C-alpha cells in the first residue's frame, strides 16, 4: 500500500484525493499548512507527497526547499500556477513532477507510479 501525504489547504481537493487515491490502494494523510505538512512527513513517513504551492502559512516552494534539505521523498506539485517559469523553477528546485489544477486523477495516478 502506497502512503501518500497531501499538503493542500483546499478541503475539496483533500476530499477528492482521499477518495480517489483510497480506491487505488493508497493510504492518504492530509495536512492543510506547510508547517503541518512538515510534521506529517515525520509522523507518517509517506512514499510520495502531493504539494500545493498556495498554502496559508508559507509558499509551497519553501516547503519543497525544506524537504529537499533532508529528504528525497518524491514530490508532485499540484498548483493553479501555470507559468512555464514557475514550473521550471520548481522542477529545478527538486520537484519530481508538476500538475496544473484542475487535473485529471488518471493522469495523477500515472505520474505517481
Amino acid at each position: 500500500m502506497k502512503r501518500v501525504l497531501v499538503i493542500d489547504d483546499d478541503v475539496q481537493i483533500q476530499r477528492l484525493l482521499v477518495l480517489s487515491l483510497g480506491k487505488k490502494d493508497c493510504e492518504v494523510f492530509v495536512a492543510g499548512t506547510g508547517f503541518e505538512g512538515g510534521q506529517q512527513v515525520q509522523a507518517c513517513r509517506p512514499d510520495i507527497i502531493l504539494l500545493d504551492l498556495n498554502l496559508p502559512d508559507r509558499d509551497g516552494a519553501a516547503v519543497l526547499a525544506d524537504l529537499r534539505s533532508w529528504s528525497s521523498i518524491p514530490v508532485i506539485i499540484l498548483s493553479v500556477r501555470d507559468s512555464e517559469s514557475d514550473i521550471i523553477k520548481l522542477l529545478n528546485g527538486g520537484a519530481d513532477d508538476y500538475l496544473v489544477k484542475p487535473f485529471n486523477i488518471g493522469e495523477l495516478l500515472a505520474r505517481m507510479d
Side-chain angles (χ1 to χ4, degrees), residues 42-102:
Q42 298 291 335
C44 70
R45 306 226 180 245
D47 298 307
I48 190 165
I49 298 169
L50 305 179
L51 175 62
D52 183 27
L53 297 177
N54 298 322
L55 298 170
D57 61 338
R58 60 194 302 216
D59 189 78
V63 175
L64 176 64
D66 286 351
L67 282 169
R68 285 297 169 249
S69 72
W70 60 272
S71 172
S72 61
I73 298 169
V75 176
I76 298 177
I77 303 294
L78 303 177
S79 179
V80 295
R81 296 184 201 171
D82 62 355
S83 77
E84 183 180 15
S85 62
D86 280 343
I87 294 169
I88 291 169
K89 178 182 171 186
L90 285 150
L91 290 171
N92 287 335
D96 294 277
D97 211 337
Y98 194 113
L99 277 173
V100 176
K101 293 177 182 178

Side-chain angles (χ1 to χ4, degrees), residues 8-21:
D8 195 315
D9 65 322
D10 185 327
V11 176
Q12 291 181 345
I13 294 289
Q14 291 175 357
R15 286 184 188 146
L16 170 71
L17 292 171
V18 167
L19 289 171
S20 301
L21 298 176

